[in-house]
Amino acid sequence: MTTSTPHIERTLEISSRTELLEQARSFVSEAARTFGFGDDDVSNIELAVDEACTNIIKHAYRDNPDGRIRLTVSTSDDLRFTVVIHDNGVGFDATHYTMPDMREYFLKPRKGGLGIVLMKRLMDEVEYDVRQGRSNSIRLVKYLHR
């Protein structure tokens, strides 16, 4: 007997407001549960999406609440769960990003700065596509392991 996973393709668009992050988390968690992920993976996906959207609000839109964030969730037969998050704010140049030295990081009092590290640890793939002045997207992938 084989079990199949449901094919999912959904889109949600929200304004760049932190009070709407709950909508984004609920949107992806419902899709992740429908696809078959358990509580731990659903929490990890929610947290990664929250971090990505927070970075967009804070850095791409610089806290301007008039920006738009579009989340698209899709699944594939190879058990891949993909969340693509689009914005039209200031692009993030991932080619200049270096992972922080965690020992150094905790020696100096700092607030924030670990969103990318967190996303990379929680998801199986994290990719940026920046088209300066046009659009940006981050692609988060998690594989369902059976």
Side-chain angles (χ1 to χ4, degrees), residues 89-93 129-136:
V90 176
F92 170 70
D93 187 356
D129 182 17
V130 176
R131 297 173 188 190
Q132 289 294 349
R134 291 185 288 162
S135 67
N136 313 299

Side-chain angles (χ1 to χ4, degrees), residues 83-141:
V83 183
V84 179
I85 306 170
H86 296 272
D87 70 84
N88 295 309
V90 176
F92 170 70
D93 187 356
T95 60
H96 290 98
Y97 178 78
T98 56
M99 295 289 274
D101 179 329
M102 297 311 291
R103 204 173 334 170
E104 283 286 320
Y105 181 87
F106 288 112
L107 289 175
K108 299 175 187 172
R110 296 176 65 176
K111 184 178 177 186
L114 293 178
I116 295 171
V117 173
L118 193 60
M119 287 186 282
K120 289 188 176 215
R121 295 217 173 163
L122 296 173
M123 303 300 286
D124 294 319
E125 297 172 21
V126 176
E127 295 176 3
Y128 289 90
D129 182 17
V130 176
R131 297 173 188 190
Q132 289 294 349
R134 291 185 288 162
S135 67
N136 313 299
S137 63
I138 180 169
R139 184 174 158 270
L140 306 169
V141 174

Side-chain angles (χ1 to χ4, degrees), residues 19 23 29 52 66-67 80 109 113 125 139:
E19 63 267 25
Q23 254 185 286
S29 68
D66 298 327
R80 183 183 342 189
E125 297 172 21
R139 184 174 158 270

Side-chain angles (χ1 to χ4, degrees), residues 9-43:
E9 186 153 346
R10 300 177 184 161
T11 299
L12 171 73
E13 190 166 319
I14 60 173
S15 297
S16 56
R17 300 170 185 263
T18 55
E19 63 267 25
L20 298 178
L21 291 174
E22 173 58 31
Q23 254 185 286
R25 289 191 302 269
S26 294
F27 173 73
V28 294
S29 68
E30 180 186 328
R33 282 189 201 291
T34 300
F35 192 56
F37 284 110
D39 290 342
D40 289 345
D41 284 330
V42 170
S43 294

